Amino acid sequence: MKTPAADIDPGILERFESFIKEKGLRRTGQRDVIVAAAFSTDSHFTAEDLWEMARKIDPSTSRATLYRTLSLLTESGLLQEIDLGRDQKYYDPNFVEHPNHNHLICLDCGTVIEFSDENMAVIEDCVTRRLGFSSVRKDIRIEARCEEFRTSGHCKRGKK
Amino acid sequence: MKTPAADIDPGILERFESFIKEKGLRRTGQRDVIVAAAFSTDSHFTAEDLWEMARKIDPSTSRATLYRTLSLLTESGLLQEIDLGRDQKYYDPNFVEHPNHNHLICLDCGTVIEFSDENMAVIEDCVTRRLGFSSVRKDIRIEARCEEFRTSGHCKRGKK
DNA sequence: GTTTCTGCAAAGGTTTTGCAACAAA
DNA sequence: TTTGTTGCAAAACCTTTGCAGAAAC
């Protein structure tokens, strides 16, 4: 089996393979292509984006397999579905490296900024515990206006 | 024009009407039906759910009009789209009364709990400001396990 | 009377599925 | 050899849109 995943984090492939094996499934060339595509970037992407990325590695990649593999990736926790407040679902490959990050979306230029904050995490945990639960996963999206844009009419990140 | 919205919060109809008028649009019987349906409950609902609720008031309600009115309601801020981590979009009619609430989803029984926390809101605002933004809107979803369920194998809210 | 709104049916876009050929173990 | 996987095309879903008749103002 060819491994088009040559230059992605070996830890990811390893985690993917052990997840796959645990479920009694098989590691295939096609799945490797899709995993490689998903982790070839640190940008957020849609299913369609990922399909295009995968097809650059292997043009025969079908949408069906893409969606099937996407499910495996989210189920394994390697990829996380995030809500950017847009019409489509987006997937975030950065949770492996930054397990607790959140998203801020700039309403002026559309940029998505990832951030983590220890205090925030602690309070969320307190509140959750006070309600009688223990937190498993969270998805926090803040939509905000850029101060720079407000004062000067533009911001360094450019426009939407 | 009949007003099937007889017993819903008059403040909501008022806000809806002024939003409508400001846009140069018209208040219609059909829109009133859909607004009445949306605010006849404090549960979260999908577009399909809302269609069914509206059809109980007026069986001729079409999906097309439902979707068109749903856009107006979210645009006006009366209804908010929320991400419950499920496959469909959900709409929350409770932001009029509780403008800053968040959602906790119980992974054991599926219940959605609304909560607000002042400390949480303050920290979020600090973090946002530190990044150079001013917060406009946020959507926070916490998925968690119920302590009661963990210790006793069931919880008072019943099961999924 | 003019402009917007409505329901219908058709179209659009995204995701899933049945199936026969193919590949992994 | 057995069982899981793939691509294709079709189906399933959810949402939007063009249009002609109806309703608001």
Side-chain angles (χ1 to χ4, degrees):
Chain A
M1 174 188 50
K2 63 177 181 250
T3 296
D7 42 46
I8 72 160
D9 180 346
I12 287 174
L13 266 181
E14 211 171 279
R15 281 179 60 181
F16 185 66
E17 174 150 29
S18 71
F19 172 81
I20 283 290
K21 289 287 157 64
E22 234 158 61
K23 294 201 71 171
L25 304 177
R26 292 172 186 173
R27 180 171 171 191
T28 67
Q30 201 45 247
R31 284 176 179 162
D32 277 5
V33 166
I34 293 165
V35 175
F39 292 94
S40 67
T41 178
D42 56 1
S43 302
H44 309 127
F45 48 78
T46 62
E48 190 71 11
D49 293 336
L50 182 55
W51 187 54
E52 277 156 29
M53 295 189 281
R55 282 168 68 90
K56 279 186 189 149
I57 304 174
D58 178 351
S60 74
T61 308
S62 74
R63 277 201 179 81
T65 301
L66 180 111
Y67 280 105
R68 289 186 277 232
T69 306
L70 204 40
S71 295
L72 293 173
L73 281 168
T74 53
E75 203 191 325
S76 72
L78 285 171
L79 221 51
Q80 203 152 310
E81 207 181 295
I82 56 171
D83 172 26
L84 294 183
R86 300 181 189 161
D87 278 340
Q88 291 175 67
K89 280 182 189 169
Y90 278 78
Y91 297 87
D92 186 335
N94 303 326
F95 280 91
V96 173
E97 268 197 76
H98 306 286
N100 279 304
H101 74 266
N102 304 303
H103 297 96
L104 183 148
I105 289 111
C106 178
L107 293 170
D108 297 313
C109 70
T111 310
V112 177
I113 294 170
E114 303 198 335
F115 70 93
S116 331
D117 184 84
E118 188 51 39
N119 299 312
M120 215 163 130
V122 169
I123 294 226
E124 281 149 27
D125 237 64
C126 282
V127 172
T128 303
R129 228 151 343 106
R130 201 180 311 138
L131 291 166
F133 290 84
S134 74
S135 180
V136 170
R137 195 183 308 120
K138 58 188 197 294
D139 188 4
I140 297 184
R141 181 183 90 242
I142 295 177
E143 294 178 29
R145 297 224 168 265
C146 170
E147 279 303 321
E148 192 184 350
F149 189 92
R150 194 179 62 73
T151 52
S152 70
H154 63 274
C155 78
K156 59 180 167 299
R157 285 174 301 275
K159 60 163 160 321
K160 197 174 294 175
Chain B
M1 173 190 50
K2 63 177 180 245
T3 295
D7 42 47
I8 72 159
D9 181 345
I12 286 174
L13 266 181
E14 211 171 280
R15 280 179 59 179
F16 184 66
E17 174 151 28
S18 71
F19 172 80
I20 283 288
K21 289 288 156 66
E22 233 158 62
K23 295 201 71 171
L25 304 177
R26 293 170 185 175
R27 181 172 169 189
T28 67
Q30 201 44 247
R31 284 176 179 162
D32 276 7
V33 166
I34 292 164
V35 175
F39 292 94
S40 66
T41 179
D42 56 0
S43 301
H44 308 127
F45 47 79
T46 63
E48 190 71 13
D49 293 336
L50 182 55
W51 186 54
E52 277 157 28
M53 294 190 280
R55 282 167 69 89
K56 280 187 189 147
I57 304 175
D58 177 351
S60 74
T61 307
S62 75
R63 278 200 179 83
T65 300
L66 180 111
Y67 279 106
R68 288 186 277 232
T69 306
L70 203 41
S71 294
L72 294 173
L73 281 167
T74 53
E75 203 190 324
S76 71
L78 286 169
L79 221 50
Q80 204 152 307
E81 209 181 294
I82 57 170
D83 173 27
L84 295 182
R86 301 181 189 161
D87 278 338
Q88 291 174 67
K89 281 183 187 168
Y90 278 78
Y91 297 87
D92 185 335
N94 303 327
F95 280 91
V96 174
E97 268 196 77
H98 306 287
N100 278 303
H101 72 267
N102 303 303
H103 297 96
L104 183 148
I105 290 110
C106 178
L107 293 170
D108 297 313
C109 70
T111 310
V112 177
I113 293 170
E114 303 198 336
F115 69 93
S116 334
D117 184 83
E118 188 52 38
N119 299 312
M120 215 163 130
V122 169
I123 293 226
E124 281 149 26
D125 238 63
C126 282
V127 173
T128 303
R129 228 151 345 106
R130 200 181 312 139
L131 291 167
F133 291 85
S134 74
S135 180
V136 170
R137 196 185 306 121
K138 57 188 197 295
D139 189 3
I140 297 184
R141 181 183 88 243
I142 295 177
E143 294 178 29
R145 297 224 168 265
C146 171
E147 277 305 319
E148 192 184 351
F149 188 92
R150 194 179 62 76
T151 52
S152 70
H154 65 274
C155 77
K156 57 178 168 300
R157 286 175 301 274
K159 63 163 159 324
K160 200 174 290 177

